[in-house]
Amino acid sequence: MKEQLLTRFQTVFGRAPEVVAQAPGRIEFIGNHTDYNAGTVLGASIDRGVWVGYAARTDGQRRFFSDLSGQILTLGEKDLAKQSGPASWANYPLGVLAALPVFELKTPGGFDFLAISNLPVGAGLSSSAALELASALVFLKATGQNPPRETVVKIGKHAENNFVGVPCGILDQGVSGFGLKNHLVFIDCRGPKFATVPLPAGAHFWIFNTHTKHALVDGLYAARHKECMEAAKALGVSALVEADLPKLEASKAKLSPTAYKRAKHVIEEIARVEQTNQALKVGDLKKVGQLLTASHRSSQTQFENSTPELDTLVDALVATPHVFGARLTGGGFGGAVMAMTDSTFSETQARQVAATYAKKYGSEPELLHCQTGDGAKVV
Ligand code: ADP
Ligand code: MG
């Protein structure tokens, strides 16, 4: 991909980039809706991502290009206006530029900027965080600054939350920033604190993107958030991470049946993240797979953020040989399912699962086979 970026940069801007950075997409491995409950989550950075090239200009112009829009956007050095229409992709690098001073970092002057990617957009693999982190790295390198990795991650999140306006948690940028090949990223959202955990050899990931999205997804997400906060309040804790099952059972009468189910999911899911850590430590991928599927079942019945489409995929996958486990990945209410398989799980088997889905829903999900990859870096 770096070769492709160099060629593309030469074609579009007629010269070579001075700095190139790459940032991976990510899979939410386990820990569903735990982040805003101050819980823990495991993610995997994957071997696909966004590549960004950068070269300084002396005329104060900032020129942005991405294969996604196919048009050069030219802005002045001080112009941080939010873009709309085909240029709206540039809000991610612009958001990063706007965030740098917030972290007391310098911004570059004029430049040529180009992004290419082998990550599907909007598939729940966080192409947006990959673009933010790759952008942050080229801007920082070009201005001779090297802040701690935590800061780079926070710059990406700040851009997405405040400039783009998406209230995502720390998972996306944290995993893209702290990822490591053959590892998972463990995030304790209190802090937040980041660590890498070895992934036993032989684990492969398959993503089945349904391209479905619940029409009310934003409202549903907000409703879950509210229900969790209500449950925490009724339990007398500042966040659900501080509750446990005995406490929940003791206070059951104080909670609406819905808030009870949501809280039970979050409490059990945080426990599953810990059990997954233990199983990973002893290399038990079978156990890890069972936990992944249990996470999905909890989303299906207790958190109610699954859909019949996602359930169909999970049901077909767990009935297929060489699949350790499967679950919805990301916020839910549509989107993608991920399966962790052994290395002998084949494309033919994946296609069979896709065909089972197509029989019911008319079209095949998009298929993506990936493994872990390194986190964001200058390349
Ligand atoms: P996800 O992060 O799950 O892929 P989002 O909607 O959060 O989905 O982010 C997708 C958006 O990120 C795209 O609509 C586009 O604006 C931007 N983006 C992602 N990859 C690229 C790219 N290679 N070039 C330009 N913009 C990109
Ligand atoms: Mg995103």
Side-chain angles (χ1 to χ4, degrees):
M1 283 298 282
K2 185 175 176 187
E3 282 307 310
Q4 274 169 266
L5 179 90
L6 298 179
T7 309
R8 203 82 187 101
F9 203 96
Q10 189 70 43
T11 309
V12 173
F13 294 121
R15 60 187 181 137
E18 293 157 359
V19 187
V20 176
Q22 185 266 343
R26 65 99 190 94
I27 296 169
E28 178 196 281
F29 188 72
I30 193 165
N32 196 243
H33 287 259
T34 54
D35 56 358
Y36 55 82
N37 291 297
T40 48
V41 56
L42 279 162
S45 53
I46 60 172
D47 53 358
R48 283 168 180 263
V50 174
W51 277 254
V52 165
Y54 171 103
R57 293 177 65 90
T58 51
D59 62 0
Q61 280 188 8
R62 286 173 171 171
R63 302 201 297 176
F64 298 85
F65 182 92
S66 157
D67 275 349
L68 217 63
S69 81
Q71 276 175 349
I72 295 179
L73 168 72
T74 303
L75 297 175
E77 215 176 300
K78 302 227 155 32
D79 188 357
L80 288 177
K82 194 167 171 184
Q83 303 297 307
S84 56
S88 59
W89 73 271
N91 289 328
Y92 297 90
L94 285 170
V96 168
L97 289 166
L100 288 168
V102 177
F103 293 86
E104 292 174 2
L105 292 159
K106 285 181 295 202
T107 48
F111 55 73
D112 289 334
F113 175 105
L114 187 141
I116 65 167
S117 160
N118 59 4
L119 204 55
V121 159
L125 297 174
S126 215
S127 65
S128 59
L131 178 57
E132 287 150 10
L133 288 217
S135 303
L137 288 186
V138 294
F139 297 146
L140 290 165
K141 178 79 179 169
T143 48
Q145 303 174 97
N146 190 18
R149 199 31 72 130
E150 277 83 355
T151 307
V152 181
V153 165
K154 284 180 187 162
I155 289 168
K157 181 171 182 282
H158 192 278
E160 183 127 5
N161 293 164
N162 299 285
F163 197 90
V164 181
V166 177
C168 63
I170 195 67
L171 173 72
D172 301 357
Q173 292 81 10
V175 175
S176 186
F178 280 92
L180 189 62
K181 194 174 164 57
N182 300 324
H183 287 71
L184 298 173
V185 178
F186 172 75
I187 305 177
D188 182 341
C189 299
R190 282 176 295 190
K193 289 198 274 296
F194 305 92
T196 51
V197 181
L199 178 68
H204 283 239
F205 297 109
W206 290 80
I207 307 294
F208 295 75
N209 182 15
T210 65
H211 290 285
T212 58
K213 193 176 171 182
H214 204 293
L216 305 171
V217 63
D218 290 343
L220 288 165
Y221 199 96
R224 293 298 178 280
H225 188 282
K226 192 162 162 261
E227 288 153 6
C228 288
M229 298 307 135
E230 268 171 30
K233 202 170 166 209
L235 293 169
V237 292
S238 65
L240 283 177
V241 70
E242 282 155 31
D244 54 21
L245 286 182
K247 193 176 188 105
L248 178 67
E249 292 310 320
S251 308
K252 196 171 175 179
K254 288 192 231 157
L255 274 77
S256 70
T258 302
Y260 170 82
K261 276 198 284 189
R262 308 301 187 239
K264 191 152 181 277
H265 166 82
V266 171
I267 292 168
E268 289 176 350
E269 185 75 353
I270 293 169
R272 266 189 293 273
V273 173
E274 187 45 38
Q275 287 161 18
T276 305
N277 269 332
Q278 297 306 326
L280 288 167
K281 248 185 217 152
V282 295
D284 189 350
L285 284 176
K286 208 169 152 219
K287 175 75 187 164
V288 173
Q290 286 164 358
L291 290 159
L292 298 179
T293 307
S295 164
H296 183 81
R297 297 304 177 206
S298 178
S299 288
Q300 193 177 346
T301 57
Q302 302 197 102
F303 211 69
E304 296 176 289
N305 62 331
S306 187
T307 60
E309 286 89 344
L310 300 175
D311 298 340
T312 298
L313 284 170
V314 170
D315 292 345
L317 279 161
V318 298
T320 306
H322 307 294
V323 174
F324 289 118
R327 62 182 290 272
L328 67 83
T329 178
F333 308 113
V337 159
M338 75 101 173
M340 185 177 71
T341 72
D342 68 20
S343 56
T344 62
F345 180 83
S346 65
E347 172 102 27
T348 310
Q349 288 176 303
R351 295 247 155 258
Q352 271 162 9
V353 171
T356 304
Y357 179 91
K359 225 181 194 171
K360 210 162 166 186
Y361 295 108
S363 64
E364 287 210 354
E366 177 188 12
L367 267 187
L368 213 84
H369 177 197
C370 49
Q371 285 174 270
T372 55
D374 281 337
K377 58 185 176 198
V378 172
V379 289

